[in-house]
Amino acid sequence: MSGLRICLIASSRFPISEPFAGGLEAHTHALARQLTQRGHDVSLFAAPGSDPDLRTAELPVEALRHEEVNRPDVDVTPGAWMDEHHAYLGLMLDLARNARRFDVIHNNSLHHLPVAMSAMLDVPMVTTLHTPPVPWLESALKFASPASTFVAVSRFTAQAWAHVTPTTTIPNGVDVERWWPGPGGRAAIWSGRLVPEKGPHLAIDAARAAGMPLDLAGPSLDAHYFRTQIEPRLGGDVRYLGHLTHDSLRAAVGSARVAVVTPMWDEPYGLVAAEAMACGTPVAAFARGALPEFVDGTVGALAAADDVDGLARAMHLAARLDRSRVRQAAVERCSISTMVDRYEDLYRAVSTPLAA
């Protein structure tokens, strides 16, 4: 089977490199690496500093220079937003002129311009919807090319977008050859971005209620939240490990007794839960968004949203589970190989008519 020429559009804000800023960056890295290993010619649009070992090519976009005279009014768009806008505008205009060097364009970004400008391209675009509907993407979909195809990362996300567009559901996956089984341990772990919508402060409260030590790992992207909600709760059996490299994170998750997942919004998928399961670490989570689709009684325990006492009970229930069965369930349900198989099938299905 011959390889495809694939353009992957990722974030212009965060590089696709370890330690990852979040699940979207980890997903894009794994997807690009797997596609390259399968013999596809992958070009990656992402922030500078992305992993050179991907053996992909960054699509360079000139940064926009901001002059203070251009921003005298508080209503003028902030520079960071304008940088992102400029990057995607430049990319889409370049693709409009040269899209035929690709067989398919896969948009993994959360920005509106790739979707809104897709009608300018003469190759098909696949867009993965990694979030519930947000106004700027809903608006962009009104102008999307008829050749656009949309993918939802879970049944929950597909249903959330159903009033806007039909989607194909391809659940996210993790590399079960890199997230290997671990021995477990005494402490629970929480991993992810330390931001309010991820709820790490509730994980600390639940761990204390459960009488179980807890480690937190991930980037602190909201200084006020960390200072007011996380730092005062640290100490004793609760530690913040920092923003770990992927190898260190895998080791920490594999050495945990249970993984705690505390979304305060409806998670479109829940990659940290799948990563923990691949390590054999059972999951205790709030039953929000897509998490109930793959976290059941064989791999963990669920609590009602924001129910700290219920989550503490779930931690003890999950900790009793057989780690080998948790690992096996992850291989069956959450493998990135299955995910990439389905993307390959989709790429070929949408690109064949135009390539003929």
Side-chain angles (χ1 to χ4, degrees):
M1 185 177 291
S2 60
L4 294 170
R5 299 167 300 167
I6 302 167
C7 172
L8 283 184
I9 303 177
S11 171
S12 70
R13 187 175 300 176
F14 300 113
I16 308 303
S17 61
E18 300 182 14
F20 299 114
L24 180 56
E25 289 73 30
H27 164 85
T28 305
H29 185 278
L31 177 61
R33 192 168 53 82
Q34 286 275 327
L35 289 170
T36 301
Q37 289 175 352
R38 293 184 182 206
H40 300 290
D41 181 4
V42 179
S43 295
L44 175 67
F45 168 71
S50 294
D51 186 357
D53 290 340
L54 291 175
R55 293 186 292 130
T56 61
E58 286 184 5
L59 299 178
V61 175
E62 176 187 1
L64 181 65
R65 179 178 176 181
H66 303 284
E67 300 291 351
E68 290 302 319
V69 69
N70 292 333
R71 294 186 288 144
D73 194 307
V74 294
D75 291 330
V76 175
T77 305
W81 188 96
M82 197 63 211
D83 282 342
E84 191 171 31
H85 172 86
H86 183 67
Y88 285 112
L89 180 60
L91 170 67
M92 295 308 296
L93 291 173
D94 177 68
L95 288 176
R97 293 185 293 266
N98 301 292
R100 276 292 178 179
R101 66 185 188 268
F102 302 111
D103 297 305
V104 65
I105 296 168
H106 186 174
N107 172 35
N108 271 290
S109 78
L110 306 181
H111 202 272
H112 63 283
L113 281 179
V115 174
M117 298 176 69
S118 59
M120 299 172 56
L121 311 181
D122 57 359
V123 298
M125 176 181 284
V126 173
T127 292
T128 299
L129 299 169
H130 291 277
T131 69
V134 290
W136 57 90
L137 282 180
E138 284 197 56
S139 172
L141 261 69
K142 303 292 184 182
F143 303 97
S145 166
S148 291
T149 301
F150 295 94
V151 172
V153 297
S154 63
R155 294 192 304 274
F156 170 83
T157 303
Q159 184 175 5
W161 280 95
H163 70 286
V164 182
T165 185
T167 57
T168 297
T169 299
I170 301 180
N172 284 341
V174 297
D175 189 343
V176 295
E177 300 303 319
R178 301 186 78 196
W179 289 89
W180 51 78
R186 175 173 171 264
I189 193 164
W190 184 99
S191 60
R193 293 179 292 115
L194 280 84
V195 292
E197 62 267 26
K198 297 292 187 179
H201 65 288
L202 297 183
I204 297 174
D205 294 347
R208 289 238 160 87
M212 194 179 296
L214 177 71
D215 291 331
L216 298 100
S220 175
L221 301 180
D222 185 326
H224 174 76
Y225 171 72
F226 189 87
R227 184 175 65 253
T228 60
Q229 298 296 325
I230 302 301
E231 278 188 342
R233 287 175 163 87
L234 297 177
D237 277 345
V238 178
R239 303 184 301 169
Y240 174 49
L241 304 180
H243 191 186
L244 302 178
T245 66
H246 230 45
D247 284 344
S248 296
L249 179 61
R250 284 190 291 264
V253 173
S255 298
R257 185 178 178 189
V258 62
V260 187
V261 185
T262 51
M264 297 185 70
W265 72 313
D266 290 329
E267 269 307 337
Y269 180 72
L271 196 65
V272 294
E275 291 168 348
M277 289 162 50
C279 294
T281 301
V283 175
F286 290 145
R288 299 199 65 160
L291 285 166
E293 293 181 26
F294 64 97
V295 177
D296 59 20
T298 63
V299 299
L302 297 172
D306 305 332
D307 181 354
V308 169
D309 290 334
L311 185 60
R313 293 190 293 272
M315 290 172 68
H316 283 291
L317 289 172
R320 299 172 190 159
L321 295 174
D322 184 330
R323 296 182 66 89
S324 64
R325 291 188 63 191
V326 174
R327 162 71 181 183
Q328 184 58 39
V331 172
E332 294 170 357
R333 303 174 192 175
C334 308
S335 167
I336 195 170
S337 294
T338 300
M339 182 194 82
V340 177
D341 287 344
R342 295 192 62 188
Y343 273 119
E344 282 184 314
D345 290 342
L346 182 59
Y347 295 157
R348 295 190 184 282
V350 300
S351 64
T352 298
L354 287 179

